[in-house]
Amino acid sequence: VQLQASGGGLVQPGGSLRLSCAASGFAFDYYAIAWFRQAPGKEREGVSCISSSDGRTYYTDSVKGRFTISRDNDKNMVYLQMSALKPEDTAVYYCAPDPYCHLVAGMIDHWGQGTLVTVSS
């Protein structure tokens, strides 16, 4: 199982970024995929998840209306479009298979490399 998140960077408050997650080594089409993030000194938290079958999406309250998750099963890719970014969104972002979209970091078996998002003026 391999997952590689990319697309992070430095952005000003109110700005936008799109994160990408490239997945391989497992039956991607059959797995829900989630985004998590970990800010300095804080625990890793679930941000968003997209189901495998019907494309149902889930978001933590703090990002609802600002972030949009999507997936492309033909390319084994998941995306996180982030807008209206706030300094508190600063974190390393990770993607991971999350079979039931629990968005609980302790239930995740496989982590890939994350990508750093810094929201600052």
Side-chain angles (χ1 to χ4, degrees):
V1 176
Q2 290 190 328
L3 302 117
Q4 178 67 58
S6 62
L10 174 63
V11 61
Q12 292 187 342
S16 299
L17 277 177
R18 188 177 85 150
L19 305 184
S20 299
C21 171
S24 62
F26 63 102
F28 179 83
D29 291 11
Y30 294 97
Y31 279 83
I33 303 294
W35 285 96
F36 290 78
R37 66 186 180 186
Q38 188 164 19
K42 294 188 176 181
E43 294 187 351
R44 196 166 297 187
E45 65 167 345
V47 175
S48 182
C49 188
I50 185 165
S51 69
S52 59
S53 54
D54 57 8
R56 189 170 298 185
T57 58
Y58 305 86
Y59 300 93
T60 192
D61 286 346
S62 62
V63 307
K64 283 180 181 176
R66 300 189 298 121
F67 290 11
T68 302
I69 191 171
S70 60
R71 66 189 293 160
D72 184 338
N73 287 346
D74 290 337
K75 297 181 179 179
N76 282 18
M77 296 288 293
V78 175
Y79 305 99
L80 187 68
Q81 179 68 47
M82 307 185 296
S83 59
L85 283 162
K86 304 175 182 180
E88 50 263 44
D89 294 318
T90 295
V92 178
Y93 285 71
Y94 303 86
C95 55
D98 187 358
Y100 300 102
C101 279
H102 288 308
L103 288 176
V104 174
M107 299 178 70
I108 300 300
D109 294 327
H110 300 283
W111 294 104
Q113 286 189 323
T115 187
L116 175 63
V117 173
T118 303
V119 184
S120 175
S121 55

